[in-house]
């Protein structure tokens, strides 16, 4: 437990962290990787290059300072980040290293303003927060390895099929290289894929939503090819261009808490933009399999027809449902974008809505759903990407 004096000191630093947080975390990552370059096998290089990881950590540190009296307020964010940590293979021994270099960065940036008293308070606070993460992640690791066909960290999978879904999205069907089956997972979850790209010094890890309902023997991910000159594109371009049927990649166990509630039969709307359609495909197929009489709305926005994926899959799943409305919008064509009026005409305000896509799209859709009366409990979403993990903490 933290003393009241420690909590008061940590809270008093919140304004400073709001002002200098990103500078501190930028220094932190620079020094951390200089001392421990092996950690570059875990961290997302693209997020580092774009400053997203630095912003994410700054948000997390600030949130901890603000909520230090009631850390349970940030527990939902802790759980969400813990899912990501487990999918990346973060271990308890990583936390003391992070703590050491975070305190050093605070001292380097703030100079004499970072007194011994402040550093001691933050050391104690970091210890409590780290223990919370370690505890949550230990439970997640235990659950992952003890389920049928489960494992921890990464396991070799073979690409058994590679299917182009649109002009930018390709699906990869993955089976365990050892011939075993895969664990069950919840519609909406993701896996991490780890690759060592020829010419690169460190492995790279990316998360991809599972894009079909659970199958006993395989996973399917559907990957959007980013631009070659985009830091986010390094892995996706490699998967599209170089990874073929018969090749092997390393895969983590399913994780994440953007989940379809399969226990209810009330109306449900799936609203997606671009590659945000991938978790919706798992959810739609699951509803078709498990609760085919559930009223369903499936709305998708793509830039044009050539970039709209899964048309045949959507038709197949829709045919198994007794009450479904589907519509695809092309933002570059006469159909235009999904407006608030369109949402109001399609979405049943008494049901649930699941939203996934680019950040501006999600913010617009969530805002419109709130306007016509849907509550926070009815709107389900997850902002993928580290810069947004604690934006609402």
């Amino acid at each position: 437990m933290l003393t009241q004096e420690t909590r008061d000191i940590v809270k008093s630093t919140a304004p400073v962290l709001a002002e200098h947080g990103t500078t501190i975390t930028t220094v932190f990552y620079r020094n951390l990787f200089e001392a421990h370059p092996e950690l570059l096998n875990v961290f997302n290089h693209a997020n580092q290059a774009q400053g997203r990881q630095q912003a994410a950590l700054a948000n997390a540190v600030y949130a901890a300072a603000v909520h230090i009296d009631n850390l349970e307020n940030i527990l939902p964010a802790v759980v969400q980040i813990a899912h990501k940590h487990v999918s990346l293979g973060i271990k308890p021994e990583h936390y003391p290293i992070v703590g050491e270099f975070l305190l050093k960065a605070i001292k380097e940036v703030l100079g004499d303003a970072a007194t011994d008293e402040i550093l001691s308070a933050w050391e104690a606070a970091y210890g409590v927060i780290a223990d919370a993460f370690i505890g949550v992640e230990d439970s997640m690791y235990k659950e992952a390895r003890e389920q049928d066909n489960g494992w921890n960290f990464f396991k070799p999978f073979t690409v058994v099929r590679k299917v182009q879904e649109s002009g930018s999205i390709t699906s990869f069907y993955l089976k365990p290289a050892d011939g075993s089956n895969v664990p069950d997972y919840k519609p909406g979850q993701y896996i991490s894929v780890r690759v060592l790209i020829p010419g690169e010094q460190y492995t790279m890890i990316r998360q991809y939503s599972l894009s079909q309902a659970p199958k006993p023997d395989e996973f399917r991910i559907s990957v959007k090819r980013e631009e070659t000159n985009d830091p986010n594109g390094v892995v996706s371009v490699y998967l599209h261009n170089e990874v073929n049927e018969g090749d092997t990649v390393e895969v983590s166990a399913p994780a994440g808490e953007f989940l379809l509630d399969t226990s209810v039969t009330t109306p449900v709307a799936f609203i997606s933009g671009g590659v945000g359609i991938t978790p919706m495909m798992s959810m739609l197929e699951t509803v078709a399999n498990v609760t085919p009489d559930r009223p369903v709305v499936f709305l998708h926005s793509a830039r044009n027809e050539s970039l709209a994926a899964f048309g045949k899959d959507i038709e197949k799943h829709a045919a198994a449902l007794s009450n479904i409305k589907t519509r695809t919008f092309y933002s570059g064509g006469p159909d235009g974008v999904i407006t608030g009026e369109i949402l109001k005409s399609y979405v049943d305000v008494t049901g649930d809505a699941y939203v996934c896509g680019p950040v501006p799209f999600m913010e617009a859709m969530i805002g419109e759903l709130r306007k016509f009366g849907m509550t926070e409990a009815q709107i389900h979403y997850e902002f993928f990407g580290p810069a947004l993990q604690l934006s609402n903490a």
Side-chain angles (χ1 to χ4, degrees):
M1 294 291 292
L2 297 173
T3 67
Q4 186 60 50
E5 181 183 11
T6 295
R7 294 199 297 271
D8 290 343
I9 293 170
V10 169
K11 277 191 293 185
S12 74
T13 65
V16 178
L17 294 172
E19 182 179 355
H20 299 288
T22 304
T23 303
I24 291 169
T25 56
T26 299
V27 169
F28 158 76
Y29 280 116
R30 183 194 69 207
N31 294 344
L32 176 70
F33 294 140
E34 283 179 3
H36 293 275
E38 73 279 2
L39 292 178
L40 287 165
N41 288 306
V42 176
F43 284 85
N44 186 315
H45 306 191
N47 290 334
Q48 289 291 323
Q50 295 174 320
R52 299 177 74 199
Q53 199 79 53
Q54 295 88 329
L57 182 58
N59 285 344
V61 173
Y62 175 74
V66 170
H67 296 290
I68 196 68
D69 278 332
N70 297 288
L71 286 174
E72 60 269 20
N73 289 342
I74 64 169
L75 186 60
V78 169
V79 171
Q80 183 183 344
I81 297 171
H83 274 282
K84 182 68 71 69
H85 284 178
V86 168
S87 79
L88 293 171
I90 299 296
K91 300 177 181 178
E93 55 262 37
H94 291 137
Y95 282 93
I97 299 171
V98 168
E100 175 190 350
F101 282 89
L102 183 59
L103 290 172
K104 287 180 177 178
I106 291 172
K107 181 63 178 177
E108 182 174 335
V109 172
L110 300 184
D112 292 341
T115 62
D116 290 344
E117 187 180 46
I118 286 174
L119 292 175
S120 294
W122 263 106
E123 183 178 14
Y126 176 82
V128 169
I129 296 165
D131 285 345
F133 272 105
I134 290 168
V136 170
E137 289 159 17
D138 181 66
S139 296
M140 290 179 180
Y141 278 126
K142 183 175 186 291
E143 182 180 354
R145 69 175 174 267
E146 291 184 355
Q147 65 183 322
D148 289 344
N149 303 301
W151 74 96
N152 282 161
F153 308 116
F154 288 88
K155 177 176 176 175
F157 272 64
T158 302
V159 178
V160 295
R161 273 202 296 156
K162 183 178 177 182
V163 178
Q164 188 167 347
E165 307 287 2
S166 74
S168 63
I169 294 176
T170 293
S171 287
F172 296 81
Y173 292 78
L174 308 170
K175 292 191 175 187
D178 62 8
S180 64
N181 281 340
V182 300
D184 194 16
Y185 62 87
K186 299 177 179 66
Q189 289 193 301
Y190 57 82
I191 57 173
S192 288
V193 173
R194 183 169 71 179
V195 294
L196 180 58
I197 299 174
E200 296 287 344
Q201 185 176 1
Y202 301 103
T203 57
M204 294 187 182
I205 304 173
R206 296 291 186 274
Q207 282 80 37
Y208 298 108
S209 295
L210 292 156
S211 61
Q212 65 180 9
K215 303 288 189 293
D217 61 341
E218 70 178 15
F219 292 146
R220 183 179 79 170
I221 58 171
S222 303
V223 180
K224 178 188 175 187
R225 179 191 174 118
E226 303 290 350
E227 297 298 326
T228 306
N229 60 354
D230 183 342
N232 283 315
V234 175
V235 175
S236 71
V237 169
Y238 173 70
L239 291 174
H240 275 248
N241 290 358
E242 306 297 335
V243 175
N244 297 304
E245 293 176 2
D247 290 341
T248 300
V249 295
E250 292 183 298
V251 171
S252 71
E257 55 171 8
F258 176 56
L259 310 173
L260 173 70
D261 185 351
T262 57
S263 68
V264 297
T265 57
T266 47
V268 61
F270 301 114
I271 305 160
S272 60
V275 76
I277 195 173
T278 55
M280 304 306 190
M281 296 308 300
S282 175
M283 294 183 183
L284 178 65
E285 184 179 2
T286 299
V287 173
N289 292 343
V290 178
T291 51
D293 293 328
R294 187 176 186 182
V296 176
V297 167
F298 194 93
L299 305 178
H300 179 61
S301 176
R303 286 205 302 274
N304 55 57
E305 191 171 358
S306 72
L307 297 178
F310 303 113
K312 291 182 179 178
D313 282 358
I314 293 169
E315 287 181 11
K316 181 179 75 173
H317 303 324
L321 292 158
S322 62
N323 184 355
I324 182 170
K325 299 175 184 176
T326 70
R327 185 172 170 185
T328 300
F329 300 79
Y330 302 116
S331 57
D335 271 346
V337 298
I338 304 174
T339 64
E341 284 302 309
I342 289 168
L343 288 176
K344 195 171 183 179
S345 67
Y346 276 91
V347 179
D348 189 324
V349 72
T350 68
D352 288 88
Y354 292 80
V355 183
C356 191
V359 171
F361 171 86
M362 291 180 63
E363 289 177 337
M365 295 300 99
I366 293 164
E368 294 296 340
L369 292 169
R370 288 170 176 160
K371 280 181 187 176
F372 67 81
M374 294 197 84
T375 66
E376 290 300 311
Q378 293 173 284
I379 307 172
H380 311 274
Y381 57 90
E382 182 174 343
F383 285 109
F384 293 93
L388 295 153
Q389 295 282 4
L390 275 163
S391 59
N392 295 318

